[in-house]
Amino acid sequence: MTEQPNVLVRGEVVREVPPEIARFSVTVAARDKNRPAALSRLAERSEAVRALVDGYGDAIERRETGDLWVRPELKRSGEKVTGYAGSATTVVTVTDFGVLGELMLRLADQDQTSVAGPWWELRPGSPVHREARRAAVAEAIARAREYADALGAEVTALLHLSDAGLTAQPLMMTRAAHTMGYRAAGGAPPELELDPQVQTVHATVEARFAITPPRLAPE
């Protein structure tokens, strides 16, 4: 019995799309010779960050606590405590990019505060991923038909389809806003306009199609 001819193809698409969210981190620090004073100062600065972020309402999707540490500071030799230091980090997820630069600089304008980011991303369940998968399947079908046509044949059936991978590749912002305790003249931070960085979505499928017997031209 003659084996049915078939063609194995790969469908691959790359999409460049705008990001859907931006994340950044803000870290406050405190240090004092007295432990209660250091802890109180750290708590006050952390609460100031929470209040400022929450003031942006629906522009903020999420506010999460990151690293928190407090430790005694010792002399170079021995175990004598000379003071206490600590820091607390908050990770903020923003959906309204129009206020992102303003918010980051306002936070960076606080005492003993550092800001890092933003990092642009797509949501895990973004419809962009589904669209890319559908486009990869369509590309595989089109490629199979092209090969079949070159052989004087036609595609008759799908025999196998496998997902060869779907990855989102968020790109870091090359001009990240990093500031430590910055204060502009007049007590107000300057304006900072951020350009959201394009996200690359890559989808690949492998498919095997049955085709009619090729009509090969004689040599």
Side-chain angles (χ1 to χ4, degrees):
M1 182 177 179
T2 304
E3 184 179 351
Q4 183 180 24
N6 61 79
V7 59
L8 175 65
V9 296
R10 177 186 294 262
E12 186 172 8
V13 298
V14 176
R15 293 284 187 268
E16 291 188 342
V17 297
E20 296 171 341
I21 58 175
R23 301 183 196 274
F24 70 89
S25 66
V26 52
T27 301
V28 296
R31 178 179 283 104
D32 199 277
K33 292 182 179 180
N34 180 271
R35 178 167 53 188
L39 296 177
S40 176
R41 200 170 297 165
L42 182 62
E44 289 174 1
R45 289 170 180 165
S46 295
E47 183 56 35
V49 167
R50 293 168 63 93
L52 202 160
V53 171
D54 290 348
Y56 281 78
D58 292 341
I60 308 302
E61 182 172 285
R62 203 157 50 243
R63 169 176 48 76
E64 302 167 299
T65 300
D67 293 337
L68 169 66
W69 60 263
V70 178
R71 65 173 179 235
E73 296 184 319
L74 308 177
K75 280 193 170 182
R76 292 185 178 179
S77 60
E79 295 185 354
K80 184 177 180 180
V81 176
T82 59
Y84 295 86
S87 77
T89 298
T90 300
V91 180
V92 183
T93 303
V94 180
T95 56
D96 183 352
F97 302 155
V99 303
L100 181 58
E102 173 191 305
L103 172 57
M104 292 180 70
L105 286 191
R106 285 187 64 190
L107 288 166
D109 198 40
Q110 308 299 306
D111 288 334
Q112 296 298 311
T113 302
S114 60
V115 175
W119 300 286
W120 309 97
E121 301 175 21
L122 294 172
R123 291 187 177 87
S126 172
V128 173
H129 301 303
R130 182 172 61 254
E131 187 277 333
R133 288 191 291 266
R134 293 175 66 90
V137 171
E139 170 65 17
I141 295 172
R143 185 168 294 187
R145 285 173 174 163
E146 288 175 5
Y147 283 130
D149 183 66
L151 294 169
E154 294 182 357
V155 172
T156 59
L158 172 67
L159 302 178
H160 174 78
L161 177 68
S162 64
D163 186 353
L166 174 66
T167 57
Q169 302 169 349
L171 304 177
M172 293 296 183
M173 184 179 182
T174 56
R175 238 176 0 129
H178 281 264
T179 315
M180 183 70 167
Y182 178 85
R183 289 196 178 277
E191 292 184 2
L192 176 63
E193 200 168 319
L194 302 179
D195 299 318
Q197 207 160 38
V198 168
Q199 306 296 288
T200 303
V201 176
H202 179 204
T204 305
V205 297
E206 292 180 351
R208 187 182 298 276
F209 295 89
I211 62 174
T212 57
R215 296 191 299 273
L216 302 179
E219 294 185 358

